[in-house]
Amino acid sequence: MPTLDRDGVAIHYEDHGPKDADTLPVLLTHGYAATCLMWRPQIAAFSDRYRLISWDMRGHGQSDSPPDDARYSRELTVEDMRAILDELGIERAVIAGHSLGGYMSLAFQATHPERTAALILQGTGPGYRNPVAREAWNEDRLERARRLETIGMSTHDGGSEVDMSEHSSAEGLARSARGMLTQHDSLVIDGIASITLPTLLLVGENDTPFRNSMSYMENRIEGSELHVFDGAGHGVNIEAPEGVNAAIEGFLTRLAGGAA
């Protein structure tokens, strides 16, 4: 599978499906401690007729884990996403992401609105406006990084999307937690109410930490649609693939119809 050189950091990506499809390409970004493997149920369902690009973020999967903490950040992740689209000659895409990948998708939209045709957000949130709440979030992420460095991969817990993932080192995940999971401003949440793009929101019924965040975005993104899937947890696209795929299929079909 191809890799993209980002100033000496190799970024792994996969490009599935027809390259001349009538509908817009979809860029799929995984969550923290997951990899592009989490999107297998969607690639299997849609790659015969949609172009799906999945990838591994820095410190994850088959992408490099640079030893410098400064090589991990929201800004670098957003530019990795842009660079993948540039490499493939894609001007605009549906930007889709799960958990941390959903937050990065919102950051991508805020930074590159001209490259974003629509949003698919799964089990994610827009971050924090309140500095006290943001600091509490950050301290928890930093503690996660410390545990990974002290105990290793055995300390990491996650959902079904993490269970199916493979990583080269705990150090890469620790640096990702410090540089990519932590938040330092309210850029993303401040821009939520101004989003006018078609937006599909997906969440599992049992994904308690993110149910409220998804409802918050539904109430503030005009015209967005929220789907809650019974019995599913955080990795809802893996745990309820038929329902999630049906929601995505309907959304992409409507996008194609609107572009006609």
Side-chain angles (χ1 to χ4, degrees):
M1 290 294 179
T3 60
L4 178 67
D5 187 322
R6 292 276 295 140
D7 297 325
V9 178
I11 302 297
H12 168 81
Y13 69 92
E14 300 180 1
D15 185 7
H16 299 272
K19 308 304 181 275
D20 56 350
D22 293 333
T23 52
L24 290 160
V26 182
L27 179 65
L28 298 161
T29 302
H30 61 79
Y32 177 72
T35 69
C36 63
L37 294 175
M38 71 165 288
W39 300 113
R40 289 302 183 199
Q42 287 63 56
I43 290 167
F46 297 123
S47 62
D48 62 330
R49 58 200 185 281
Y50 293 111
R51 187 176 187 179
L52 304 175
I53 302 103
S54 58
W55 68 295
D56 290 340
M57 288 190 279
R58 295 165 182 247
H60 292 74
Q62 297 182 62
S63 288
D64 280 352
S65 299
D68 182 0
D69 282 0
R71 307 299 297 275
Y72 301 80
S73 68
R74 181 186 70 196
E75 291 76 14
L76 284 169
T77 304
V78 165
E79 292 313 304
D80 288 343
M81 297 164 72
R82 177 201 54 77
I84 291 170
L85 295 182
D86 287 349
E87 177 74 7
L88 298 175
I90 296 171
E91 287 299 319
R92 296 176 76 239
V94 177
I95 306 299
H98 166 75
S99 200
L100 174 61
Y103 177 81
M104 294 298 182
S105 296
L106 286 164
F108 182 93
Q109 184 277 328
T111 308
H112 297 293
E114 76 287 353
R115 308 293 295 270
T116 310
L119 290 165
I120 300 176
L121 306 172
Q122 175 178 289
T124 191
Y128 297 91
R129 185 176 290 111
N130 184 314
V132 175
R134 188 187 308 132
E135 184 58 31
W137 166 271
N138 287 347
E139 182 52 41
D140 184 73
R141 305 314 109 170
L142 293 173
E143 176 58 29
R144 178 176 293 192
R146 288 189 286 267
R147 290 198 308 270
L148 281 162
E149 290 175 322
T150 303
I151 304 173
M153 295 291 289
S154 62
T155 187
H156 186 68
D157 54 353
S160 53
E161 80 284 4
V162 172
D163 292 341
M164 67 189 300
S165 301
E166 297 179 359
H167 302 281
S168 59
S169 72
E171 288 79 8
L173 290 180
R175 294 188 182 101
S176 298
R178 284 196 296 268
M180 293 154 60
L181 272 180
T182 55
Q183 301 175 17
H184 306 286
D185 58 39
S186 57
L187 170 77
V188 172
I189 194 168
D190 287 344
I192 288 295
S194 65
I195 295 174
T196 58
L197 296 171
T199 301
L200 177 66
L201 305 170
L202 308 167
V203 69
E205 174 191 23
N206 299 327
D207 192 6
T208 305
F210 290 103
R211 282 285 302 274
N212 289 340
S213 296
M214 300 298 280
S215 295
Y216 175 92
M217 290 191 288
E218 180 194 24
N219 291 331
R220 285 160 179 79
I221 301 176
E222 185 176 356
S224 62
E225 56 178 278
L226 173 63
H227 295 255
V228 180
F229 296 91
D230 294 345
H234 194 46
V236 62
N237 69 300
I238 298 164
E239 298 169 30
E242 292 185 4
V244 168
N245 289 349
I248 293 174
E249 178 86 62
F251 184 71
L252 295 178
T253 299
R254 289 190 293 277
L255 282 181

